[in-house]
Amino acid sequence: MSERTQRDYDAYSVALLRVMGNAPIAAIRPHHIMRYLQIERADAPVRANREISLLSILLTMAVEQGDLNSNPCKQIGRKNKERPRTAVPETAELEAFAQWMQAQGGQRQVIGMMAEFIALTGNRRVEFMRLEREAVDLATGIIRTQRAKQHDGRVKAEEIIIDPALHSLLERILTLPRPEGSSHLFLTRDGNPYSDSAFQSTWQRAIVKARAEGVRRSED
């Protein structure tokens, strides 16, 4: 699992253990799952869905190991409703936030460029945070990367066409100061590729400051 998935599962396990930590797995019934979703975690319905999804993974493992006959999470008819995001950020808002991040300098400048890269390529962070500089070919206008989360379990190579906006961003990225011999496109202050937790930490601090200064931005 990726670092982010591990961190998410650790967070989801807190409420699960508080409510169900002392229950033998064979004693868990579908109505316990529904109670968890609708009563125990009524104040956080969407988070409850994620927590029950983790529980379902664990109970499936128990079934596979012969410790349980069936997974009660798969016997409930529904989870809590989730409302998809409907707000689409305006281009001007995105540009204002990107410019603010650029003006911050340092690691916020790098994180801001990573956010721009996501907006222009549609890549997930896990697909580019460790991207090597040699994967970027400005001469031919191609970035060679790999898609994450392949359903068949295989890694799929992908070529991203570098359009003018992406070309301009990459030129800015490549001119950032970096230690001699560094091979990655996006680097921390120490010259290492970003971990997901380091990205999230810097990003969240920047969001808090941007809000305090009245910078308009898209939703997280």
Side-chain angles (χ1 to χ4, degrees):
M1 294 183 292
S2 69
E3 178 191 356
R4 181 178 182 181
T5 300
Q6 293 180 51
R7 189 174 67 249
D8 286 346
Y9 283 178
D10 282 342
Y12 298 157
S13 70
V14 174
L16 277 174
L17 290 172
R18 184 176 66 246
V19 177
M20 297 187 177
N22 294 324
I25 57 172
I28 299 175
R29 299 288 184 266
H31 69 273
H32 295 137
I33 306 301
M34 291 306 301
R35 177 183 173 86
Y36 185 92
L37 290 168
Q38 297 178 353
I39 298 177
E40 302 291 350
R41 297 289 281 153
D43 60 335
V46 175
R47 181 62 170 245
N49 286 346
R50 307 290 184 271
E51 293 161 357
I52 289 301
S53 292
L54 171 59
L55 179 62
S56 182
I57 291 171
L58 298 173
L59 294 181
T60 293
M61 292 173 61
V63 172
E64 292 172 348
Q65 294 175 4
D67 298 323
L68 197 63
N69 291 327
S70 62
N71 183 347
C73 294
K74 296 184 179 299
Q75 297 171 12
I76 62 173
R78 65 189 184 283
K79 291 184 179 180
N80 293 323
K81 290 184 178 180
E82 298 187 24
R83 294 182 179 179
R85 293 174 180 170
T86 57
V88 178
E90 298 290 338
T91 301
E93 289 183 296
L94 291 173
E95 290 178 347
F97 185 63
Q99 290 171 6
W100 182 86
M101 291 288 277
Q102 183 75 15
Q104 295 295 297
Q107 295 308 296
R108 286 181 182 163
Q109 180 183 20
V110 177
I111 293 293
M113 290 180 174
M114 293 170 77
E116 290 184 67
F117 189 89
I118 292 171
L120 291 172
T121 65
N123 274 168
R124 301 179 179 92
R125 291 198 302 273
V126 69
E127 295 170 341
F128 73 82
M129 283 201 300
R130 302 186 68 86
L131 191 65
E132 300 278 346
R133 291 171 62 190
E134 64 181 18
V136 178
D137 192 338
L138 293 179
T140 61
I142 294 291
I143 300 175
R144 295 175 177 83
T145 185
Q146 294 179 338
R147 296 292 294 179
K149 295 186 177 180
Q150 296 303 307
H151 295 296
D152 57 6
R154 293 179 298 177
V155 175
K156 181 179 179 182
E158 179 183 50
E159 290 189 350
I160 300 172
I161 304 299
I162 302 175
D163 63 14
L166 184 54
H167 190 281
S168 175
L169 172 63
L170 290 169
E171 285 186 326
R172 285 190 283 131
I173 294 170
L174 292 170
T175 57
L176 289 172
R178 59 185 64 236
E180 184 178 354
S182 64
S183 61
H184 291 88
L185 191 63
F186 298 102
L187 297 175
T188 65
R189 185 180 294 106
D190 298 328
N192 299 313
Y194 270 87
S195 66
D196 193 73
S197 59
F199 175 94
Q200 287 282 13
S201 176
T202 306
W203 175 262
Q204 292 301 328
R205 288 197 298 270
I207 292 299
V208 170
K209 184 175 181 180
R211 283 175 173 166
E213 295 185 8
V215 179
R216 293 180 61 83
R217 63 168 186 85
S218 62
E219 290 299 318
D220 298 17

